[in-house]
Amino acid sequence: MLYGGELVGVLAVEETRGKPREFTDADARLLSLFAGQAASAVRNARLFQEINRRVEQLAALNKLGRSLTAHLDLDQVLDETYREVSRLLATDDFFVALYNAEKDETTFPVGTRDGQLVKPNTVRPGGQGITGYNIRNQTPVLVNGDLDAPGRVR
């Protein structure tokens, strides 16, 4: 099943009742037409799912932005951040780190441990670990899988 030159699936047909049938070129052309229509439908369904996922993300960001500007209490802001991020992504391992440049230290006021929200309020020197890397380079880091595996951190 091709859509715009991209393979999106396979349409396979086999007749198993009675005597095995030999399919003709006309059968193959008909199945090819079905496959083309199915490929188009699959592509449209995937686009629809992607658009819905994106709409959910944007709605969550909008809600978070409105909520954050409505709260002046740091605990409420952090709790709301966690709730909205959790709506969109698995937050088994989640934390917020706040950096104090004057003291060069990072505070971790909220996070998750084993999927449960915790408020450890741990304080570390600013340059440690991946969070320190984020702070020094002011850039996001994407970690896929095991942090210690080569090529997992970008």
Side-chain angles (χ1 to χ4, degrees):
M1 296 174 10
L2 294 174
Y3 182 85
E6 176 188 353
L7 180 68
V8 297
V10 174
L11 177 66
V13 176
E14 178 181 4
E15 188 169 324
T16 58
R17 289 177 287 161
K19 180 175 132 185
R21 175 177 175 200
E22 290 189 25
F23 290 97
T24 66
D25 287 341
D27 293 330
R29 283 191 300 277
L30 181 61
L31 289 172
S32 181
L33 291 172
F34 282 129
Q37 290 296 313
S40 179
V42 166
R43 178 73 173 143
N44 288 339
R46 287 179 177 169
L47 286 173
F48 185 74
Q49 288 175 333
E50 178 62 26
I51 287 168
N52 281 339
R53 187 181 66 78
R54 187 70 177 143
V55 165
E56 283 182 23
Q57 290 173 337
L58 292 173
L61 286 172
N62 184 350
K63 182 179 177 189
L64 178 60
R66 284 183 287 124
S67 178
L68 294 180
T69 57
H71 296 299
L72 297 178
D73 178 69
L74 181 59
D75 283 338
Q76 287 179 325
V77 167
L78 296 174
D79 287 349
E80 188 65 24
T81 300
Y82 169 71
R83 273 193 297 278
E84 291 305 314
V85 169
S86 295
R87 280 186 52 214
L88 297 175
L89 302 169
T91 53
D92 296 337
D93 190 8
F94 168 90
F95 66 86
V96 172
L98 302 177
Y99 180 62
N100 182 327
E102 291 175 11
K103 295 181 179 180
D104 188 32
E105 66 183 21
T106 306
T107 304
F108 297 83
V110 64
T112 57
R113 186 172 296 126
D114 298 324
Q116 298 297 314
L117 185 64
V118 294
K119 298 191 177 191
N121 231 19
T122 305
V123 177
R124 290 194 323 207
Q128 289 187 345
I130 288 183
T131 304
Y133 178 88
N134 291 116
I135 291 166
R136 286 189 310 277
N137 295 288
Q138 298 182 7
T139 183
V141 174
L142 176 63
V143 178
N144 287 313
D146 182 5
L147 189 59
D148 296 324
R152 291 294 190 183
V153 179
R154 294 191 287 161

